[in-house]
């Protein structure tokens, strides 16, 4: 379960409000929902509130997190809504949209990027320099480029701040200009030592975003449509997926 949802559940349990809310009219629903959430989670930063695909439910976005809440603000539901007739997941497209917006908001000047800006696809990869499959992915970076895939890296040292992989990420960022960072990252991922450096860097921001997304492992790939693909995917299969083709 997403840690955000876990915290909200705990807050709601502690609140244990005994008040009975009547069904809200459409123009009152947002006010009631905001008031209810403020009571149990006052620090929650709500991005948007809008009607959900099911009558009587409202979709609440808080960054990359989505929940469904009844119009009276009393009950909330976590998890996807699936149309059983069409087998369509109605929740994932909204989550994908939020992921894309948040990743793009980081800005390419805060990423280490490999590939032509005119490539057919751009993916964003959360990477840990010490991760074996992250190293395998990077060893094939030229093959991804040949498949028309541009790779933007964000750092997610899973051992946390102050770890060897965190310090390596900072040293890569502080290696110099864009080309120097690419060179340093390639060396580090090949197991070569790089000069230890410090400077203003976006590693903490990258890690915070990974936590917001609920990531647990690396590599974690965010497609140009905002879809989350956990784990390593070889170049041709990733290209097929991005192009909407069968991968086998």
């Amino acid at each position: 379960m997403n840690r955000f949802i876990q915290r909200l559940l705990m807050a709601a349990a502690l609140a244990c409000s005994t008040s009975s809310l009547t069904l809200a009219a459409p123009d009152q629903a947002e006010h009631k929902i905001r008031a209810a959430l403020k009571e149990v989670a006052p620090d929650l930063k709500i991005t948007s509130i809008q009607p959900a695909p099911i009558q009587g439910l409202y979709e609440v976005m808080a960054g990359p997190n989505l929940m469904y809440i009844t119009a009276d603000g009393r009950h909330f539901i976590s998890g996807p809504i699936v149309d059983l007739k069409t087998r369509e997941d109605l929740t994932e497209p909204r989550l994908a949209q939020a992921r894309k917006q948040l990743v793009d908001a980081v800005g390419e000047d805060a990423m280490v990027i490999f590939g032509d800006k005119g490539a057919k696809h751009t993916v964003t990869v959360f990477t840990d320099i010490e991760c074996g499959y992250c190293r395998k992915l990077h060893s094939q970076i030229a093959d991804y480029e040949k498949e028309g895939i541009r790779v933007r890296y964000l750092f997610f040292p899973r051992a946390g701040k102050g770890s060897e992989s965190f310090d390596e990420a900072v040293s890569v960022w502080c290696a110099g200009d864009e080309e120097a960072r690419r060179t340093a990252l390639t060396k580090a991922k090949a197991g070569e030592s790089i000069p230890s450096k410090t400077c203003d860097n976006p590693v903490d921001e990258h890690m915070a975003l990974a936590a917001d997304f609920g990531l647990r492992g690396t590599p974690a790939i965010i497609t140009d449509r905002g879809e989350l693909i956990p784990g390593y995917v070889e170049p041709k299969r990733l290209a097929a997926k991005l192009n909407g083709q069968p991968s086998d």
Side-chain angles (χ1 to χ4, degrees), residues 16 24 39 43 74 82 86 91 111 122 138 165 177 185 191 197 203 209 222 230 247:
C16 289
E39 183 177 353
D43 296 328
R74 180 161 185 176
V82 178
T86 64
T91 300
M111 303 177 181
T122 295
H138 191 71
S165 57
D177 61 14
L185 183 59
K197 295 185 177 182
V203 179
L209 185 59
I222 309 294
S247 56

Side-chain angles (χ1 to χ4, degrees), residues 35-57:
L37 288 174
K38 186 175 182 179
E39 183 177 353
V40 299
D43 296 328
L44 181 66
K45 296 181 180 179
I46 297 172
T47 308
S48 67
I49 299 175
Q50 63 184 46
I54 296 176
Q55 186 175 5
L57 284 181

Side-chain angles (χ1 to χ4, degrees), residues 110-123:
M111 303 177 181
V112 180
I113 303 172
F114 290 79
D116 185 355
K117 196 165 187 176
K120 184 176 182 181
H121 296 288
T122 295
V123 298

Side-chain angles (χ1 to χ4, degrees), residues 22-38:
T22 59
L23 185 63
D27 59 343
Q28 298 175 327
E30 181 173 346
H31 174 75
K32 285 181 174 289
I33 289 169
R34 287 185 182 277
L37 288 174
K38 186 175 182 179

Side-chain angles (χ1 to χ4, degrees), residues 39 94 146 154 166-167 172 176 183:
E39 183 177 353
R94 295 290 292 123
K146 288 178 183 177
L154 299 179
F166 178 90
D167 292 342
V172 164
T183 300

Side-chain angles (χ1 to χ4, degrees), residues 122-142:
T122 295
V123 298
T124 306
V125 180
F126 285 88
T127 192
D128 182 335
I129 292 173
E130 296 298 316
C131 154
Y133 276 105
C134 296
R135 290 184 170 187
K136 182 176 181 179
L137 187 155
H138 191 71
S139 72
Q140 297 174 291
I141 199 71

Side-chain angles (χ1 to χ4, degrees), residues 108-109 111-114 155 170-185 197 199:
E108 292 196 346
D109 58 347
M111 303 177 181
V112 180
I113 303 172
F114 290 79
F155 293 108
V170 172
S171 294
V172 164
W173 185 261
C174 298
D177 61 14
E178 293 179 11
E179 187 58 38
R181 290 168 185 160
R182 284 191 287 266
T183 300
L185 183 59
K197 295 185 177 182
C199 65

